[in-house]
Amino acid sequence: MVAGGLSSRAVHDHAAAMVRATTALLPDGWRVAPVVLAEQARVALGDDVAHAMGPGSWRS
């Protein structure tokens, strides 16, 4: 999850490159979850996203 709650400028400047670099390092069989777009996001948003996706949704 990429969130710009504290620094939207940092997300604008660095998020795309960070996501590309991170996904390039994923082991075989791993996948990226659906994209979540949220304004003014904070850490706790991850709890709501995980709940909405359901148990085991992170597994390939």
Side-chain angles (χ1 to χ4, degrees), residues 23 25-32 58-60:
T23 55
L25 298 173
L26 291 176
D28 289 340
W30 284 40
R31 61 188 173 85
V32 176
W58 51 272
R59 295 184 184 134
S60 58

Side-chain angles (χ1 to χ4, degrees), residues 2-21:
V2 175
L6 297 178
S7 177
S8 58
R9 181 61 191 214
V11 169
H12 178 270
D13 290 349
H14 305 289
M18 184 200 65
V19 170
R20 280 192 300 273

Side-chain angles (χ1 to χ4, degrees), residues 21-53:
T22 302
T23 55
L25 298 173
L26 291 176
D28 289 340
W30 284 40
R31 61 188 173 85
V32 176
V35 174
V36 174
L37 301 175
E39 294 181 6
Q40 298 299 314
R42 296 292 189 267
V43 174
L45 177 62
D47 296 336
D48 293 333
V49 170
H51 179 72
M53 290 180 68

